[in-house]
Amino acid sequence: MPRATVIGLGKSGVAAARLLKGEGWEVELSDSNTSETLLQQQQKLAAEQITVKLGQSLELNGANLPQLIVVSPGVPWDIPVLIKARQLGIETIGEMELAWRNLRSLPWVGITGTNGKTTTTALIAAIFQAAELNAPACGNIGYAACEVALSSRGRGEGSREQGAGGASDNSSLLTPNSSLDWVIAEISSYQVESSSSLAPRIGVWTTFTPDHLSRHQTLENYYNIKAKLLHQSELQVFNGDDAYLRQQGLSAWPDAYWTSVKGKDFLISEKGFYIEDDWVVEKLTATSAPEPIVKVSTLRMVGEHNQQNLLMAVATARLAGINRDAIARAIVEFPGVAHRLEHICTWEGIDFINDSKATNYDAAEVGLASVKSPAILIAGGEAKAGDDTGWLAQIQTKAAAVLLIGSAAPAFAQRLQEVGYYSYHIVETMERAVPRSAELAKEYEAPVVLLSPACASFDQYPNFEVRGDRFRQLCLAWAEGEKLQYNSILSSSLP
């Protein structure tokens, strides 16, 4: 029996282990962490004859080496044990690649980009599902890709996380032996990096700005990783309003379908999708007549960036042969995505908005630009490398005050001082930030409190979803009048 090792005991790793077990592999799953939850998972998988090793890293010593190593998305591709594995000739792939090998007979949509990919993925899935196609969203949203593969083999595990944010009824799509029509996959640079043969029918590139440089080292390397997915896609859809992608243009991507919210004159090719007079307009070839597809104003989400996401979703749907009626139905009903400019509640005329998914400066700049002003901004967490210039300028224009949380707070305070902005308060935690933001919103007559961190969450939370969920919980408690629990917090809040 061939031996496989899966690294990482998240939903992707567990699904990969189960998929391999079903294919006849002897499977070992390893995770360097340990916790009560992981111990429970260990016992559950042991009953399925999957060995789980906790609190230790994979070691490649001795003769009994695995023939295959499958890596969960969060595991860096260049850690020493994986470099050694490749040197030893052990096939090493990502969980997304394993899913692709099991589902390559189906057409895929692969969505990548620095920002915008979750909303675009959720909207694409909603449109496909409105067209009565079984097209689950997976990857960085919804199911792990290997969970989709398991369902096609008769093992729907039903362990979906709330990635799609209610954007589509993903949960009803993945049942054992389900007959799939399309796979709609949000694919991060980490997943592209570890997927050698992944080749979608339609590839979508939403945006490109510096991010994850601590892992990918250079902007050029980060670009090339994402470009690999698009080069391997049969059809390509690009956001033509993104400065970096537009600069690459037709010389790099001569056959792509480009989009622009600014109108036909801003398309950089003779085919594409653009907005004109509140309509998404399609021009499929250089000689075809423009055709209106759907009204932009039917989309409930605010902001020019969401119009860009709409264009790319409509382009994908039309290239997949979906009719205008299904597209219109999906867009009218689409509620948006959790943790991305998600309206939580309104308290005494103040809107509390969760933009926890804004984990870098560019996403946070877009988030702040999309809300009413003046706003009370909650920012901070684990800082990332990147250019904060545009974000700081947006703060100066739109933020009445900034509340700083997490490990980045001192550095952010210094940067704000450097640009002459002094209306900031270091409050350290979300528990202090929410009541203080309500007070400041009253003081400044601000219509919006916005959590848009511009940071990763790992200093205080396992991921941005948990951070956003905590913000939601605190906001709802505040709005429902449960202020007594905040007395100690308010008294200890920093001025």
Side-chain angles (χ1 to χ4, degrees):
M1 184 182 292
R3 294 184 66 247
T5 294
V6 179
I7 303 178
L9 189 56
K11 65 171 183 172
S12 297
V14 170
R18 285 176 169 148
L19 186 59
L20 289 166
K21 186 67 179 177
E23 293 177 340
W25 291 77
E26 179 188 340
V27 183
E28 179 181 288
L29 207 161
S30 71
D31 198 299
S32 58
N33 298 310
T34 187
S35 68
E36 186 62 37
T37 301
L38 293 179
L39 288 168
Q40 292 172 2
Q41 187 75 281
Q42 182 184 46
Q43 292 175 353
K44 184 177 180 181
L45 291 168
E48 301 175 35
Q49 298 181 315
I50 296 173
T51 302
V52 176
K53 293 187 176 181
L54 297 175
Q56 54 185 292
S57 300
L58 174 64
E59 293 184 2
L60 298 175
N61 299 317
N64 195 20
L65 296 174
Q67 284 79 53
L68 175 68
I69 295 175
V70 178
V71 183
S72 296
V75 177
W77 192 235
D78 57 355
I79 57 176
V81 70
L82 296 183
I83 294 173
K84 182 177 180 180
R86 291 190 283 270
Q87 290 172 343
L88 291 171
I90 300 171
E91 185 176 20
T92 306
I93 63 173
E95 177 262 348
M96 182 70 69
E97 172 74 10
L98 179 63
W100 163 255
R101 293 181 182 186
N102 280 266
L103 296 169
R104 64 189 309 157
S105 62
L106 294 170
W108 283 50
V109 178
I111 303 97
T112 197
T114 309
N115 299 308
K117 56 184 180 292
T118 297
T119 302
T120 304
T121 302
L123 187 49
I124 290 170
I127 294 171
F128 278 56
Q129 290 158 29
E132 300 184 350
L133 294 167
N134 191 348
C138 68
N140 270 13
I141 179 174
Y143 298 103
C146 279
E147 287 181 296
V148 178
L150 275 168
S151 75
S152 70
R153 296 174 61 89
R155 288 205 52 196
E157 297 300 329
S159 59
R160 181 176 67 104
E161 291 182 357
Q162 193 61 29
S168 54
D169 186 15
N170 219 27
S171 58
S172 65
L173 302 175
L174 218 58
T175 55
N177 297 308
S178 56
S179 177
L180 301 173
D181 297 307
W182 283 77
V183 177
I184 313 297
E186 179 188 328
I187 306 173
S188 71
S189 56
Y190 300 177
Q191 291 161 315
V192 177
E193 190 176 32
S194 59
S195 300
S196 57
S197 67
L198 176 59
R201 175 75 57 82
I202 304 171
V204 182
W205 197 335
T206 60
T207 56
F208 185 77
T209 53
D211 197 12
H212 307 301
L213 296 187
S214 60
R215 173 153 168 172
H216 298 314
Q217 305 305 321
T218 67
L219 191 65
E220 182 182 21
N221 189 41
Y222 179 42
Y223 175 86
N224 289 337
I225 289 167
K226 287 193 173 293
K228 185 176 84 167
L229 181 74
L230 276 292
H231 281 304
Q232 294 182 182
S233 299
E234 185 179 328
L235 299 170
Q236 301 152 342
V237 176
F238 281 82
N239 175 6
D241 294 323
D242 179 88
Y244 197 100
L245 296 179
R246 190 176 182 88
Q247 184 181 4
Q248 303 303 309
L250 293 178
S251 59
W253 306 99
D255 298 319
Y257 292 85
W258 293 84
T259 66
S260 179
V261 301
K262 300 173 184 177
K264 182 180 178 180
D265 292 344
F266 287 84
L267 279 185
I268 62 173
S269 74
E270 295 182 321
K271 61 182 183 181
F273 293 75
Y274 57 92
I275 292 176
E276 186 172 86
D277 298 329
D278 193 41
W279 282 88
V280 172
V281 179
E282 164 189 287
K283 196 171 188 304
L284 285 179
T285 68
T287 56
S288 63
E291 182 180 354
I293 303 299
V294 67
K295 288 185 77 71
V296 176
S297 55
T298 58
L299 183 70
R300 288 191 248 172
M301 297 183 296
V302 299
E304 185 177 277
H305 66 291
N306 279 321
Q307 294 182 6
Q308 293 166 340
N309 297 336
L310 172 65
L311 277 173
M312 291 180 285
V314 171
T316 301
R318 293 297 288 166
L319 293 176
I322 294 175
N323 65 47
R324 286 178 291 182
D325 289 344
I327 293 171
R329 275 198 313 276
I331 290 166
V332 166
E333 296 170 1
F334 189 73
V337 174
H339 311 295
R340 191 66 179 118
L341 291 171
E342 174 193 9
H343 182 268
I344 300 298
C345 61
T346 301
W347 172 74
E348 298 191 12
I350 301 161
D351 291 329
F352 288 75
I353 295 176
N354 169 24
D355 197 32
S356 182
K357 198 174 191 306
T359 60
N360 56 48
Y361 298 118
D362 299 284
E365 179 185 346
V366 167
L368 192 52
S370 300
V371 301
K372 298 175 185 176
S373 61
I376 306 301
L377 174 66
I378 301 172
E382 184 180 286
K384 290 183 175 181
D387 183 358
D388 62 2
T389 309
W391 177 64
L392 291 169
Q394 195 66 235
I395 287 174
Q396 290 174 293
T397 301
K398 297 200 69 169
V402 180
L403 298 174
L404 299 173
I405 63 173
S407 62
F412 278 9
Q414 183 176 339
R415 288 292 292 135
L416 288 167
Q417 286 184 34
E418 287 171 1
V419 298
Y421 185 96
Y422 295 95
S423 185
Y424 67 83
H425 311 262
I426 296 178
V427 294
E428 298 179 348
T429 66
M430 197 75 75
E431 287 74 16
R432 294 178 180 177
V434 168
R436 189 78 174 102
S437 70
E439 287 182 343
L440 289 169
K442 283 287 190 183
E443 180 182 334
Y444 288 101
E445 298 183 355
V448 171
V449 169
L450 173 68
L451 169 67
S452 193
C455 283
S457 59
F458 304 123
D459 58 331
Q460 294 179 319
Y461 301 95
N463 50 52
F464 72 80
E465 292 98 338
V466 174
R467 175 172 63 189
D469 289 342
R470 182 59 174 156
F471 177 71
R472 183 190 298 110
Q473 181 185 29
L474 292 167
C475 290
L476 292 174
W478 181 266
E480 290 164 9
E482 298 173 13
K483 300 178 190 176
L484 290 176
Q485 64 179 296
Y486 286 110
N487 282 348
S488 61
I489 295 171
L490 286 170
S491 64
S492 62
S493 291
L494 297 177

